[in-house]
Amino acid sequence: MNYYIHTYGCQMNIHDSEKIAGILEKMGYVCCDDVKLADVVVFNTCCIRETAEQKIYGHIGSLKKLKKAKPNLIAVVCGCMSQQEGVPQQIRKSYPYVDVILGTANLGLLEQSILQAKNKKKFVNTEFLGYTEEDFTQKRTSFPNAWVNINYGCNNFCTYCIVPYVRGRERSRQMSDVVAEVRTLVEQGYKEITLLGQNVNSYGKDLPNGENFAKLLLEIAKIPGKFRVRFMSSHPKDLSDEVIDAVASCPNICNNIHLPVQSGSTNILAKMNRRYTREKYLEQITKIRAKLPNVGITTDIMVGFPGETEQDFLDTLDLVQQAKFSSAFCFVYSRRKGTPAYSMENQVPYAVKKSRIVQLNACQNQVTKEISKSMVGKVFEVLVEGQNTSYKDCMCGRTESGRLVNFKCDQTYVGKFVNVLVERATSATLWGKVVEED
Ligand code: SAH
Ligand code: SF4
Ligand code: F3S
């Protein structure tokens, strides 16, 4: 019996899919990479933007044929989309062949729901039950990296964002549990640990014993063995000096900070409820660069938030030029039902949004190109991750600052640290050669 998982959305979902895979394998299912061979198909969904949702609905729709050909096929929809109000009912109505609907915090019901579906009974439950990592055996799929949740949910309620509604309030894992998990992963040979939270900087605020993210980083950094630590995301309003100092003082914590800015206009930031100004954000950047000279700072930016004027947009372009992000994920604002921005006045027309995203991407590409050029001729320590998906004869890996480099080396190097001399750069892509083994 085979299973196939479609994963959409962010790293949280990628990691949740590893838990889903773990549950299915415990039940005796085997992973397959062709959906036509599957006996259980899982859609682990995202609803951050309308485009994500439309794509998923399209994919669920195309299951109809498969289900006809294979009536015993079990279809599961879970994740953020099904956690939204009214969506389970909508799925039941439009896609009656879906057997199981679960939410974001009740994966513990997966086994039971599949057994019920086998008896031809639908299972719909999006109760917010919560779980801890310790409840599941995970099937990790991203060696040499391992994802580790440190906190779940979000309390920030940025006015455009659906996440607080579908992922619930902030909950931190016990520090001893996180540290123990990382220690085990390092002992198992994982070389890169990525700590995950919607806002890692608020780690510990809900714990009784004064634990915080900086203390967690310092504890993790003490674990013996050669490995790297990354983390995401950092809300700029909560990034403390202690966290920056922890990154500076621990060689195994990567000089790489993902600091989503969203907009370069103080006016728009206020409407977004981000609780920092343009100036405050730029001050954070200056502080980070002073303490971490070779840092790679990445970000998320949105264009077309309600009320965004041409001047607001120009402020964003200007911030992009000043901040010198090594890369930026740029998005067109998407109206999400149930969020405050949905009903704000002055929604920006699509044509304007489209023109702004093109300009923003061009502006960031120029910055990335300059940073890439400055890396040519230098040697960087790179963790070999695997084959490049587009250039099959090349392997790839990341520098400490988070930049992807392509180079030739043997497959057996996956999971090893190598020194790579960057020889050329084509805007966002770096090419190099291995110069000396670690
Ligand atoms: N917790 C993370 C963000 C998770 S969502 C953080 O705060 O950094 C990832 C990114 O999607 C956000 O940073 C934002 O840029 C984008 N995003 C969120 N809601 C969106 C919306 N309604 N429309 C377009 N982009 C959105
Ligand atoms: Fe969404 Fe804001 Fe929370 Fe990030 S911090 S998940 S953008 S509400
Ligand atoms: Fe992630 Fe999408 Fe949910 S971005 S938290 S999977 S809405």
Side-chain angles (χ1 to χ4, degrees):
M1 300 287 264
N2 295 324
Y3 72 89
Y4 184 94
I5 307 177
H6 289 272
T7 306
Y8 307 87
C10 64
Q11 284 79 5
M12 286 301 162
N13 261 17
I14 295 176
H15 189 34
D16 283 349
S17 287
E18 295 183 329
K19 296 168 200 168
I20 294 168
I23 295 168
L24 293 172
E25 296 211 349
K26 214 166 141 203
M27 291 175 75
Y29 288 94
V30 177
C31 178
C32 71
D33 52 13
D34 181 355
V35 67
K36 292 196 198 83
L37 301 176
D39 301 285
V40 172
V41 179
V42 179
F43 294 85
N44 190 14
T45 62
C46 170
C47 56
I48 198 82
R49 283 169 288 274
E50 199 184 348
T51 43
E53 274 194 336
Q54 280 167 347
K55 186 165 89 185
I56 297 166
Y57 279 128
H59 289 175
I60 300 176
S62 63
L63 202 68
K64 191 174 180 182
K65 252 181 148 171
L66 221 64
K67 186 89 184 189
K68 240 188 189 154
K70 205 172 181 179
N72 287 333
L73 175 68
I74 295 173
V76 180
V77 179
C78 62
C80 293
M81 203 171 93
S82 41
Q83 193 69 57
Q84 290 176 103
E85 226 182 279
V87 170
Q89 294 80 345
Q90 184 60 40
I91 296 175
R92 293 279 288 122
K93 209 171 116 208
S94 309
Y95 309 93
Y97 46 85
V98 169
D99 302 282
V100 173
I101 301 175
L102 293 173
T104 58
N106 60 4
L107 280 183
L109 301 177
L110 183 61
E111 178 166 2
Q112 179 193 340
S113 69
I114 288 176
L115 295 177
Q116 183 168 318
K118 272 190 168 172
N119 292 325
K120 304 279 171 219
K121 245 185 110 200
K122 304 276 178 202
F123 191 101
V124 181
N125 187 327
T126 54
E127 269 176 286
F128 219 83
L129 301 178
Y131 57 78
T132 64
E133 303 307 294
E134 290 65 31
D135 296 341
F136 305 114
T137 326
Q138 304 167 13
K139 190 208 171 199
R140 295 194 175 267
T141 52
S142 62
F143 179 85
N145 174 68
W147 310 106
V148 173
N149 288 117
I150 66 164
N151 53 359
Y152 312 93
C154 182
N155 289 355
N156 289 315
F157 290 94
C158 302
T159 54
Y160 50 79
C161 187
I162 195 77
V163 172
Y165 304 91
V166 294
R167 290 274 175 175
R169 296 294 65 71
E170 269 173 18
R171 284 112 47 219
S172 300
R173 287 176 72 194
Q174 290 298 329
M175 191 145 109
S176 51
D177 289 342
V178 177
V179 175
E181 185 179 359
V182 175
R183 182 172 288 118
T184 305
L185 289 165
V186 172
E187 283 165 7
Q188 288 170 348
Y190 289 89
K191 299 293 181 204
E192 185 177 77
I193 306 294
T194 307
L195 307 175
L196 293 178
Q198 294 298 345
N199 177 12
V200 289
N201 297 319
S202 60
Y203 173 80
K205 282 187 184 163
D206 55 329
L207 296 176
N209 31 11
E211 281 160 356
N212 64 34
F213 185 51
K215 285 189 196 164
L216 177 68
L217 282 177
L218 293 172
E219 278 308 304
I220 289 174
K222 280 190 219 151
I223 295 171
K226 169 109 178 138
F227 67 103
R228 285 174 167 180
V229 181
R230 296 188 194 278
F231 52 86
M232 66 187 307
S233 289
S234 277
H235 196 305
K237 76 175 166 61
D238 298 317
L239 179 67
S240 65
D241 290 0
E242 289 75 23
V243 167
I244 305 173
D245 291 339
V247 178
S249 66
C250 304
N252 51 4
I253 301 178
C254 289
N255 278 338
N256 181 195
I257 298 188
H258 184 62
L259 198 67
V261 65
Q262 312 300 357
S263 169
S265 153
T266 295
N267 179 29
I268 294 296
L269 288 169
K271 288 187 184 160
M272 288 176 163
N273 190 32
R274 291 291 287 177
R275 285 169 279 175
Y276 53 85
T277 60
R278 168 196 175 86
E279 290 70 31
K280 191 86 199 133
Y281 184 87
L282 287 169
E283 263 171 43
Q284 288 275 35
I285 297 271
T286 309
K287 202 188 295 169
I288 294 168
R289 292 206 189 278
K291 290 188 177 178
L292 310 170
N294 296 316
V295 71
I297 303 175
T298 57
T299 200
D300 296 344
I301 311 176
M302 213 182 290
V303 296
F305 184 82
E308 185 187 67
T309 62
E310 193 59 24
Q311 186 55 51
D312 292 323
F313 173 63
L314 292 176
D315 287 350
T316 297
L317 290 185
D318 184 70
L319 182 135
V320 163
Q321 265 148 5
Q322 284 192 46
K324 304 244 174 290
F325 300 116
S326 44
S327 68
F329 298 97
C330 302
F331 306 107
V332 167
Y333 165 71
S334 169
R335 272 173 103 171
R336 303 284 68 206
K337 273 210 186 88
T339 64
Y342 182 87
S343 38
M344 282 182 187
E345 287 176 356
N346 301 321
Q347 298 284 331
V348 175
Y350 184 72
V352 176
K353 288 182 184 168
K354 183 88 198 148
S355 143
R356 288 182 184 165
I357 192 86
V358 171
Q359 291 176 66
L360 176 61
N361 279 325
C363 178
Q364 176 57 43
N365 286 346
Q366 195 52 40
V367 175
T368 304
K369 199 169 170 178
E370 278 161 31
I371 298 175
S372 301
K373 268 201 209 147
S374 74
M375 293 173 81
V376 173
K378 294 185 185 146
V379 175
F380 296 90
E381 188 183 58
V382 168
L383 173 61
V384 185
E385 287 177 13
Q387 223 171 30
N388 179 312
T389 42
S390 332
Y391 304 93
K392 297 276 185 235
D393 61 332
C394 270
M395 301 292 279
C396 62
R398 261 163 229 283
T399 64
E400 184 187 343
S401 69
R403 288 298 305 272
L404 204 65
V405 190
N406 297 310
F407 48 88
K408 294 215 162 116
C409 77
D410 199 86
Q411 288 271 2
T412 56
Y413 277 75
V414 173
K416 296 206 165 100
F417 289 94
V418 292
N419 288 324
V420 173
L421 169 69
V422 176
E423 294 178 304
R424 64 195 172 88
T426 49
S427 68
T429 316
L430 302 171
W431 304 85
K433 69 170 183 200
V434 177
V435 284
E436 173 198 318
E437 269 185 54
D438 192 44

